């Protein structure tokens, strides 16, 4: 029976690049005889996303024409919509030692574990300033995403990959780490057709809870999807967030309307462009909608609070099947005696308790009081325990 969920992006079927389980041992043994190329944490993240099929339909790290088309026009060379370059870079001397057509092994630059093989199809120099100015809307090296791009090797290496390992994620997050085909199967089992994804890299406070419940009201269910990849300094670890979020779901959501899972992406903090990438990825997971709230995937003051919503109106019709659920700034209003948004609440900001992840972390770090209007007490208890133990 044909699936009633949205189709994967740019393809009638998912295209996971993870080798079959019974092939991996032999492929890994052969990979140890190849030239080994180290990857940065962001490149490892992208490789794992390719492996699980979350980056369908691309088959590896982008060549020059794809990189240029994506950076400038959000289009692969063949015309398929794609908002952010997926590239692998190396220093000039390492790149110079590689030959086009050569098969190489790709390893985690920190652990040394071989994760994949790749056939080198192209080597090229990318214009990093162009990429930063188009993708991040700034070339300021203080921007964490820009700093990553500017710190990359001089030469990009392109080619298709075969992924041999998913790293630590399946063992570390056995109930949380779900591939797109697994998530799609679960949605189908529940009879869900319209599914809203809620992206988070923070423990969910009352504002997040309100957004997720709005999404659940207008769809069959909400998919709370956590970032498991590397975050910026000060962010709360995924294992702590997981417990906090599950406690909130168990205590404050009707059973059966929310699923929590995680995926290995590393945040780029590219604001509007990253919101588009998040929607594309969730389409591959089977989601029809993505909740896009205030400053989605932003950092500092580089983007306007609603820029990530506006960009969905600027892309061509049909570029993405996963559509945004645009929700205004959310807060607790003492006059309304409940959660509200800038679109619905008529009261002055003097009556509002603004709820943000940054403010929550500050209060936790300082040991300050956190009112129930700000975050659920059960969630706060888990977070306080983490902050206490981290200081010991």
């Amino acid at each position: 029976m044909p699936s009633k969920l949205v189709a994967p992006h740019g393809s009638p079927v998912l295209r996971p690049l993870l080798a079959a389980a019974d092939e991996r041992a032999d492929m890994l043994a052969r990979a140890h005889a190849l030239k080994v190329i180290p990857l940065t944490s962001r490149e490892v993240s992208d490789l794992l996303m390719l492996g699980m099929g979350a980056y369908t339909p691309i088959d590896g790290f982008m060549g020059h024409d794809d990189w240029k088309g994506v950076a400038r026009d959000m289009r692969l060379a063949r015309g398929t919509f794609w908002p952010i370059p997926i590239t692998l870079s190396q220093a000039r001397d390492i790149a110079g030692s590689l030959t086009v057509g050569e098969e190489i092994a790709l390893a985690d630059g920190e652990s040394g574990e071989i994760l994949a093989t790749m056939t080198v199809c192209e080597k090229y120099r990318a214009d990093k300033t162009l990429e930063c100015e188009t993708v991040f809307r700034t070339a300021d090296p203080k921007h964490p995403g820009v700093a990553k791009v500017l710190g990359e090797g001089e030469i990009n290496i392109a080619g298709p990959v075969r992924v041999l390992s998913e790293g630590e994620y399946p063992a570390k997050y056995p109930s949380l780490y779900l591939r797109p085909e697994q998530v799609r199967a679960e949605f189908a089992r529940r009879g869900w057709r319209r599914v809203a994804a809620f992206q988070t890299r923070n423990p969910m406070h009352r504002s997040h809870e309100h957004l997720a419940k709005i999404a659940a009201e207008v769809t069959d269910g909400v998919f709370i999807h956590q970032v498991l990849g590397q975050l910026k300094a000060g962010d709360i670890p995924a294992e702590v967030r997981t417990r906090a979020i599950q406690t909130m779901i168990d205590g404050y959501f009707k059973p059966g309307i929310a699923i929590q899972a995680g995926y290995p992406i590393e945040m780029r903090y590219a604001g509007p462009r990253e919101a588009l990438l998040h929607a594309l990825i969730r389409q591959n997971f089977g989601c029809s909608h993505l909740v896009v709230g205030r400053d989605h995937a932003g950092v500092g003051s580089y983007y306007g609070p609603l820029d990530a919503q506006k960009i969905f109106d600027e892309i061509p019709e049909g570029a993405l099947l996963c559509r945004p659920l645009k929700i205004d700034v959310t807060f607790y209003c003492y006059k309304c005696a409940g959660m509200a948004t800038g679109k619905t609440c008529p009261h002055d900001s003097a009556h509002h308790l603004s709820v943000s992840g940054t403010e929550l972390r500050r209060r936790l770090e300082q040991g300050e009081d956190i009112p129930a209007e700000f975050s659920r007490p059960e969630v706060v208890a888990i977070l306080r325990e983490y902050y206490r133990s981290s200081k010991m």
Side-chain angles (χ1 to χ4, degrees):
M1 178 182 292
S3 173
K4 296 179 180 179
L5 298 168
V6 292
H9 180 65
S11 172
V13 295
L14 288 168
R15 295 184 179 179
L17 304 179
L18 179 66
D22 60 357
E23 298 178 345
R24 291 178 211 162
D26 288 344
M27 294 178 70
L28 186 60
R30 189 164 59 83
H32 279 284
L34 302 174
K35 192 173 295 180
V36 178
I37 301 300
L39 306 184
T40 65
S41 61
R42 195 216 71 203
E43 291 163 348
V44 168
S45 163
D46 285 339
L47 183 67
L48 298 180
M49 295 290 285
L50 288 162
M52 63 164 31
Y55 280 172
T56 296
I58 62 176
D59 64 359
F61 291 104
M62 292 179 179
H64 178 270
D65 290 350
D66 281 338
W67 165 82
K68 184 177 179 181
V70 168
R72 296 178 67 173
D73 303 313
M74 295 193 285
R75 291 279 181 188
L76 298 171
R78 61 180 179 269
T80 304
F81 175 81
W82 198 277
I84 291 180
I86 307 299
T87 57
L88 165 60
S89 70
Q90 290 293 311
R92 177 188 291 273
D93 57 338
I94 295 177
S97 71
L98 305 178
T99 304
V100 171
E102 179 181 2
E103 187 178 21
I104 59 175
L106 305 180
D108 186 317
E110 294 183 6
S111 70
E113 179 188 4
I114 291 178
L115 299 174
T117 59
M118 183 177 94
T119 300
V120 179
C121 291
E122 187 181 351
K123 300 186 293 182
Y124 62 98
R125 183 189 294 274
D127 184 336
K128 294 182 182 182
T129 300
L130 169 67
E131 180 173 337
C132 290
E133 289 178 345
T134 55
V135 172
F136 299 102
R137 301 186 178 183
T138 179
D140 182 355
K142 294 179 181 178
H143 183 295
V146 170
K148 285 259 185 181
V149 172
L150 296 180
E152 291 173 352
E154 296 177 69
I155 307 298
N156 283 358
I157 302 166
V161 301
R162 290 295 304 280
V163 179
L164 309 180
S165 170
E166 295 177 283
E168 67 175 359
Y169 291 101
K172 190 173 182 180
Y173 306 105
S175 62
L176 198 67
Y177 184 80
L178 300 177
R179 304 183 193 99
E181 69 266 21
Q182 294 172 305
V183 173
R184 283 175 168 269
E186 179 60 21
F187 291 166
R189 186 188 70 79
R190 293 173 178 239
W192 290 3
R193 298 178 62 177
R194 287 166 48 86
V195 185
F198 182 85
Q199 154 96 17
T200 180
R201 67 179 193 265
N202 292 305
M204 291 178 70
H205 46 67
R206 292 289 301 277
S207 176
H208 296 139
E209 179 188 332
H210 187 61
L211 294 176
K213 286 180 174 177
I214 290 173
E217 289 282 3
V218 298
T219 60
D220 298 323
V222 62
F223 181 50
I224 299 173
H225 211 193
Q226 285 211 53
V227 173
L228 300 179
Q230 183 171 306
L231 301 171
K232 64 183 189 304
D235 282 343
I236 294 170
E239 52 269 26
V240 179
R241 285 184 272 123
T242 300
R243 289 195 296 117
I245 289 171
Q246 195 59 50
T247 296
M248 182 203 66
I249 292 173
D250 293 342
Y252 297 95
F253 280 69
K254 183 178 179 179
I257 67 165
I259 298 172
Q260 181 182 192
Y263 71 134
I265 200 166
E266 179 174 313
M267 292 291 295
R268 285 169 162 84
Y269 304 101
R273 286 255 195 150
E274 193 157 4
L276 295 174
L277 182 64
H278 288 165
L280 184 157
I281 291 165
R282 278 15 179 273
Q283 181 178 326
N284 284 330
F285 275 89
C287 299
S288 58
H289 293 82
L290 172 69
V291 175
V292 182
R294 173 179 56 86
D295 198 26
H296 185 104
V299 63
S301 58
Y302 290 99
Y303 313 108
L306 301 179
D307 282 358
Q309 296 182 356
K310 295 174 184 176
I311 198 169
F312 282 88
D313 298 325
E314 299 167 4
I315 63 175
E317 186 72 26
L320 285 173
L321 298 181
C322 182
R323 303 305 302 154
L325 282 178
K326 303 176 183 178
I327 304 176
D328 207 337
V329 176
T330 309
F331 45 80
Y332 186 92
C333 176
Y334 288 98
K335 276 277 193 179
C336 293
M339 300 302 299
T341 73
K343 184 176 182 179
T344 60
C345 177
H347 303 119
D348 185 86
S349 61
H351 301 289
H352 299 165
L353 176 63
S354 182
V355 181
S356 74
T358 301
E359 174 66 7
L360 177 60
R361 289 193 298 272
R362 188 195 69 77
R363 293 189 182 205
L364 287 166
E365 288 168 356
Q366 299 300 318
E368 295 180 10
D369 179 58
I370 298 173
E373 297 88 352
F374 197 106
S375 185
R376 298 294 187 182
E378 301 92 329
V379 171
V380 172
I382 291 171
L383 300 180
R384 283 203 190 282
E385 176 57 32
Y386 162 69
Y387 275 90
R388 278 197 295 267
S389 62
S390 67
K391 292 178 179 180
M392 293 176 63

